[in-house]
Amino acid sequence: MKLKIAIQKSGRLYDESVKLLKDCGIDLKNGVNKLKTESDNFPMEIYFLRDDDIPQYVEDAVADIGIVGENVLYEKNKKVDIVERLGFGKCRLSVAVGRSEQYDGVGYLNGKRIATTYPLLVQQFLEKNKVDAEIHEISGSVEIAPGIGLAHAIVDLVSSGSTLLANGLKEVETVLQSQAVLIRNGRLDAEQQQVLEKFLFRIRAVKKARNNKYILLNAPNEKLQEIIQMLPGMKSPTVLPLAEPGWSSVHSVLNENDFWEIIEKLKDAGAQGILVIPIEKMVI
Ligand code: PRT
Ligand code: ZN
């Protein structure tokens, strides 16, 4: 038995999806065609597909699991379950209008025409906000629609915002925050379920490691208590004496989000020789 996973064939999710498998210790066979391959060291078969097709393939159990953006998942509205948010492919689905428009809230959209490749999500957004607007579905280059007179507003994916800026548009509402997620078919048998659990265990260890850093520093003994208070560690920090009397080496784990703030406090408290090292895997 091999667990079949569908990932994007090429595009914005491809590199990170392959990297996730690799970081989970799942080696892919090279030299097989680009439609599918398998792993030498894990019971997994990998299908490379258009991202738009992945929810359907997983619903139909052609693939057992898949990696896809939430934006695509919710738009396609298929019967699959989200197993885990993966922390990459982050973007938002937003409403944008011409930069010089006087936008005064969602009511602005009443009677307007909105161009998008996400008609279902836009319809749900309009219904939720009790707005009556016309949805104009197009298949790409949505950002040019207002400029050529095709629509008054657009709903499209945004990450840095530079595409909107380059097209004279401004972002005015967020319809959805999105990231890549692992989805599954609801009818896996016991053996498939077991392989999925194993894969998930590894994904969670990789995610934890990505969110944390290993930190080593030297501290004068009289400042040790103060410095230890700042470092939670997995249980508590490790403290080892240095060869030089009166000094200790402190080892701990820091969350990425608190990183810069804590580093500054540590320096102010007298810590020296601070080293920060990426963690490869983390199992707690
Ligand atoms: O060929 P296939 O159908 O598989 O790929 P695709 O062309 O449909 O999708 P692709 O590869 O562009 O994106 C895959 C997924 O990446 C999306 O479904 C999102 O979940 C995620 N993602 C993250 C993004 C972006 N960020 C993103 N910025 N997808 C698209 N964009 C586009 C956006 O449409 C706009 O054109 O980038 C532009 C905006 O970017 P900024 O940085 O200028 O704001
Ligand atoms: Zn696509």
Side-chain angles (χ1 to χ4, degrees):
M1 196 283 299
K2 284 187 186 294
L3 192 71
K4 289 172 281 181
I5 183 170
I7 65 172
Q8 198 189 18
K9 185 180 167 67
S10 64
R12 288 168 191 265
L13 301 182
Y14 172 80
D15 287 343
E16 290 273 17
S17 301
V18 170
K19 184 166 187 306
L20 179 66
L21 295 177
K22 209 171 158 219
D23 290 350
C24 286
I26 300 172
D27 296 334
L28 308 192
K29 265 194 185 139
N30 284 324
V32 191
N33 69 47
K34 194 66 206 289
L35 185 64
K36 70 176 195 187
T37 186
E38 58 184 19
S39 171
D40 291 328
N41 62 354
F42 194 78
M44 184 175 269
E45 200 165 35
I46 299 93
Y47 288 68
F48 300 101
L49 300 168
R50 289 266 328 263
D51 65 347
D52 312 73
D53 297 333
I54 291 174
Q56 181 77 61
Y57 277 94
V58 174
E59 182 183 278
D60 294 345
V62 175
D64 305 310
I65 58 176
I67 296 178
V68 70
E70 286 173 282
N71 52 307
V72 170
L73 179 63
Y74 301 141
E75 179 65 30
K76 297 296 172 188
N77 204 18
K78 300 294 174 197
K79 284 196 208 68
V80 298
D81 303 321
I82 294 185
V83 196
E84 185 83 2
R85 292 192 158 70
L86 300 174
F88 62 84
K90 286 188 178 169
C91 57
R92 51 202 187 271
L93 186 67
S94 294
V95 182
V97 300
R99 209 175 317 154
S100 56
E101 292 297 306
Q102 293 282 329
Y103 184 86
D104 52 2
V106 280
Y108 167 94
L109 297 168
N110 269 311
K112 300 279 198 309
R113 188 191 287 175
I114 305 171
T116 189
T117 49
Y118 295 90
L120 179 65
L121 291 175
V122 175
Q123 189 196 332
Q124 289 169 350
F125 174 80
L126 295 177
E127 278 169 14
K128 196 178 86 194
N129 288 287
K130 300 189 172 50
V131 170
D132 187 17
E134 183 194 339
I135 299 170
H136 190 80
E137 184 180 353
I138 54 179
S139 58
S141 302
V142 175
E143 64 280 358
I144 65 168
I148 59 173
L150 187 68
H152 304 101
I154 65 165
V155 174
D156 200 13
L157 297 178
V158 180
S159 45
S160 69
S162 59
T163 303
L164 294 184
L165 198 68
N167 286 278
L169 301 171
K170 63 179 175 189
E171 193 177 351
V172 291
E173 301 283 347
T174 305
V175 175
L176 174 79
Q177 294 281 356
S178 177
Q179 61 175 287
V181 289
L182 183 72
I183 56 172
R184 57 167 281 173
N185 176 288
R187 305 179 302 273
L188 302 188
D189 65 28
E191 205 181 349
Q192 292 169 321
Q193 181 69 38
Q194 215 174 20
V195 178
L196 175 58
E197 291 298 333
K198 217 167 154 179
F199 180 40
L200 256 182
F201 176 79
R202 296 186 186 190
I203 290 178
R204 287 176 182 151
V206 169
K207 273 176 65 184
K208 277 218 178 68
R210 285 180 185 174
N211 288 336
N212 289 280
K213 299 271 185 267
Y214 192 78
I215 178 168
L216 300 104
L217 58 86
N218 295 332
N221 286 347
E222 68 272 15
K223 294 285 189 171
L224 212 47
Q225 276 318 312
E226 190 185 339
I227 285 173
I228 286 171
Q229 295 300 319
M230 297 173 186
L231 293 168
M234 284 212 268
K235 263 200 170 33
S236 75
T238 307
V239 180
L240 302 164
L242 285 189
E244 187 176 327
W247 283 80
S248 298
S249 169
V250 181
H251 301 203
S252 189
V253 171
L254 263 190
N255 189 284
E256 180 90 315
N257 297 328
D258 310 327
F259 180 74
W260 288 111
E261 204 183 326
I262 293 189
I263 290 287
E264 273 169 27
K265 285 193 189 147
L266 289 169
K267 271 183 66 189
D268 292 345
Q272 294 181 6
I274 302 174
L275 297 181
V276 177
I277 302 168
I279 299 171
E280 195 167 311
K281 309 280 186 295
M282 202 166 146
V283 179
I284 301 179

